[in-house]
Structures are given as C-alpha cells and as structure tokens.
Amino acid sequence: MKIFDLHADIACALQPYAGEKAILKNHWQSRLAQGEIGVTSAASFFSGSQSWQQMQQTVQAVKKDIEESGYRPILTKEELPEDPSEPQYLMTIEGMCGIHEDPEEKISWLYAMGNRIGSLCWNDQNDLATGNSGSPGRGLTELGRRAVRKMNELHMIVDVSHANEKTFWDLLDESSLPLIATHSNAKALCFVERNLTDQQIRALAEKGGLIGMNACAKFIDADPEKQDGLHLAEHARYIADLAGIEHVACGFDFSAYYTEASHDMSGPEKAQNFIEGLRRCGFSEDEIKDIAYRNVLRFLQKYM
Ligand SMILES: [Zn+2]
C-alpha cells in the first residue's frame, strides 16, 4: 500500500552524510521504497536559540538535496500525485524559533523556498507560540497571530503538533483554514503531552483538519511490548471512530531519521507494519487507502 508520510525529519537525516550530494537518493530511497512510502514531508526542524540564518541554511540544504537527488518539491496542487507511487517530497517547517520580527517577510521566504506546511513552535516556547513544555498559561503571541495570518494568505498549512493546549486553541481560533496535526496520536490511548485530547481531536475534525499517526514508540503506548504498528493502528481506529476516518493520516516521524532505533515502526522500511495493523483493526482496503494517502491528497487539493 502506497503511503504519504506527513512528517519526516529530513534535515536531521541529511546530517550524518554532510558534504555528500544526493543523500536522499543514495542513503534513504531504498528504505522508503521498501516501506512503499511515495511522498515524504521533508521537515526542517528548529528549536531553542537557533537563529533565522540557521533556519535559512537548513531549509536551503534540504531543498538542495531534494533537487540533487533528482526530485522536485511539490509546490502546487497541480503537482500533487493521484497516487503517491513515485518518490516525491513536500517541504515543511517544524518550529520557527528564529523569527523575532517581520513574520510576514520571513514566512514569505519560507514559502518561496517551497515549504507548504509549518508549525510555529517545537516543544519549547518562542516569540510566536508556546510548545507543550512551555508555560501552560502562555499561548500564541501577537507576532504568532501575524505569522498565522500570513500563512493563511499564502495557503501554507498550520501544523499544531507540539503546540501546548493554549496555543492549540488560539491557533484554532486564529486560522481561517483547517489545521493539521502532522504527527500526534490520541491521549486517550497513550497519555503523553504530545498526544491530543478527545476535545482537540473533535475540534480539529470539525474544522476539516487532519491528524497524522506518529510512530514514535513512546507516543504509541507506555508498554514497550505495545510500541508497534498494530497499536499505532489502534490510535487510527480510535480517532476514526471518534471524529471520522477522513481526518486520519500518516505522520510517522520515524526515529531512524534522527537516532538509532529498532522497534517495529522505527524506520521508513517498516511502514507497512502500520498498514498491516490497520487491516487487523478491521479497516477495509478502501479505508486503508484513505488513511495511507487519499485523505492527505484531498486535503491538500482543497487547501494548499
Ligand atoms: Zn516533532
């Protein structure tokens, strides 16, 4: 089953091979092909005190490697595939800690470079928003509201994964377009800060949003025996039953991109373990296609 993965730390995946060309093609493509992942959302990740210059360098490095590898980032609706059978990349931003002023100008630059989804913060708090380890009473800032308005204007989709609850509700209120949680699961099945409450899941769905299922072991289940594709599929089952299957997608955040890991869903080559889990959770082949890629493609066709 072909897959559209909404979150992959591609900037981190390039780092061990720094200095080489076409890293995605030479080091990752065979693993992506083994997992039948067609489109990968290539995230540039930022946190802490990383500067705007560092953000620019990383985004440029990601774009450069996508192109050197012989691919082209998806920039328009017209470039979205009907089914993700060829390797393609959609550039995204995770955390915008380097933006301290002129958010409109900087968002425009990120967009011009090819980024089509972006989260304002990682777990920490910055000048735009507050992540889930930031101050619970602090949400979206005035600068952050300006960033959201610019993203809406450009049709760059706002990602709420990593936002704390206050930021989440502020974003829901501020954004005129639906939101994506690119890589978050259900708190009801695994109670960690990074997962979503039932209320958040319903609110995202009511606004037409999407939730990508996160394969990170500790966000699947507290029990190491259950940190696998089947138990991740149970999150999909839970969210589909609660809010509608059309809001469920894949956002695996494979740990292989940034660390050594070996669990059942640790790398792109293991993605089909999730698809097998969906079958065991009673989803039909047609429903699995929706979760694997059709829901994301429909969403991006509408809002990108
Ligand atoms: Zn993340």
Side-chain angles (χ1 to χ4, degrees):
M1 177 70 67
K2 300 293 178 196
I3 292 173
F4 189 133
D5 182 4
L6 272 171
H7 187 81
D9 271 310
I10 292 302
C12 302
L14 302 179
Q15 277 167 10
Y17 311 103
E20 293 183 32
K21 285 185 188 302
I23 296 165
L24 289 172
K25 182 167 175 268
N26 296 330
H27 294 280
W28 291 100
Q29 188 45 44
S30 62
R31 294 175 72 174
L32 287 157
Q34 200 187 328
E36 297 183 49
I37 295 176
V39 184
T40 300
S41 292
S44 294
F45 160 67
F46 308 102
S47 69
S49 58
Q50 284 185 283
S51 67
W52 174 243
Q53 284 70 25
Q54 286 172 302
M55 287 184 67
Q56 288 180 298
Q57 284 163 7
T58 300
V59 167
Q60 283 163 336
V62 169
K63 184 167 190 271
K64 187 164 164 270
D65 197 83
I66 291 172
E67 291 171 350
E68 281 172 0
S69 292
Y71 316 124
R72 206 175 157 269
I74 297 172
L75 301 177
T76 65
K77 290 177 185 187
E78 291 68 34
E79 292 167 13
L80 288 165
E82 255 176 57
D83 75 283
S85 45
E86 296 300 316
Q88 273 184 296
Y89 287 86
L90 182 78
M91 289 173 65
T92 67
I93 299 293
E94 179 172 36
M96 300 189 189
C97 56
I99 300 183
H100 306 291
E101 59 198 353
D102 305 322
E104 294 84 3
E105 192 189 303
K106 292 182 166 101
I107 296 284
S108 298
W109 186 86
L110 294 172
Y111 185 86
M113 288 299 289
N115 294 286
R116 294 295 178 264
I117 298 175
S119 62
L120 302 188
C121 59
W122 187 63
N123 290 332
D124 51 354
Q125 63 188 46
N126 60 35
D127 284 356
L128 304 181
T130 313
N132 52 51
S133 64
S135 169
R138 185 184 187 270
L140 190 60
T141 66
E142 196 40 51
L143 212 61
R145 289 183 191 276
R146 282 169 57 190
V148 171
R149 290 196 283 271
K150 189 67 194 180
M151 289 172 77
N152 285 167
E153 184 196 313
L154 295 168
H155 284 243
M156 183 172 169
I157 310 298
V158 178
D159 179 1
V160 299
S161 284
H162 290 287
N164 71 355
E165 277 222 49
K166 173 105 174 68
T167 298
F168 174 93
W169 296 110
D170 288 348
L171 286 168
L172 202 77
D173 187 52
E174 186 65 49
S175 177
S176 59
L177 291 175
L179 305 171
I180 290 190
T182 54
H183 55 305
S184 294
N185 300 330
K187 237 178 199 164
L189 301 191
C190 182
F191 195 84
V192 290
E193 277 305 317
R194 282 280 291 100
N195 288 341
L196 300 163
T197 65
D198 287 4
Q199 235 187 339
Q200 289 177 305
I201 292 167
R202 282 202 205 94
L204 275 177
E206 272 163 29
K207 203 170 169 148
L210 274 185
I211 304 166
M213 299 297 94
N214 188 335
C216 179
K218 60 182 189 283
F219 304 151
I220 298 176
D221 203 290
D223 177 357
E225 295 291 304
K226 296 181 178 170
Q227 293 169 343
D228 56 22
L230 172 61
H231 290 85
L232 181 59
E234 286 180 0
H235 285 268
R237 178 87 265 170
Y238 181 85
I239 294 171
D241 291 346
L242 182 73
I245 189 173
E246 65 273 31
H247 306 290
V248 185
C250 304
F252 295 128
D253 195 13
F254 288 123
S255 45
Y257 289 127
Y258 52 88
T259 188
E260 284 297 324
S262 59
H263 73 281
D264 176 73
M265 284 294 292
S266 58
E269 68 282 2
K270 299 176 182 169
Q272 294 298 313
N273 288 337
F274 174 63
I275 300 297
E276 199 41 48
L278 292 173
R279 292 189 180 109
R280 288 175 61 191
C281 284
F283 289 103
S284 70
E285 287 303 300
D286 205 49
E287 289 174 322
I288 294 171
K289 260 186 202 167
D290 286 342
I291 295 170
Y293 64 90
R294 282 198 304 217
N295 288 341
V296 183
L297 290 174
R298 277 189 211 113
F299 179 93
L300 293 174
Q301 274 296 347
K302 232 165 151 178
Y303 300 112
M304 203 171 114

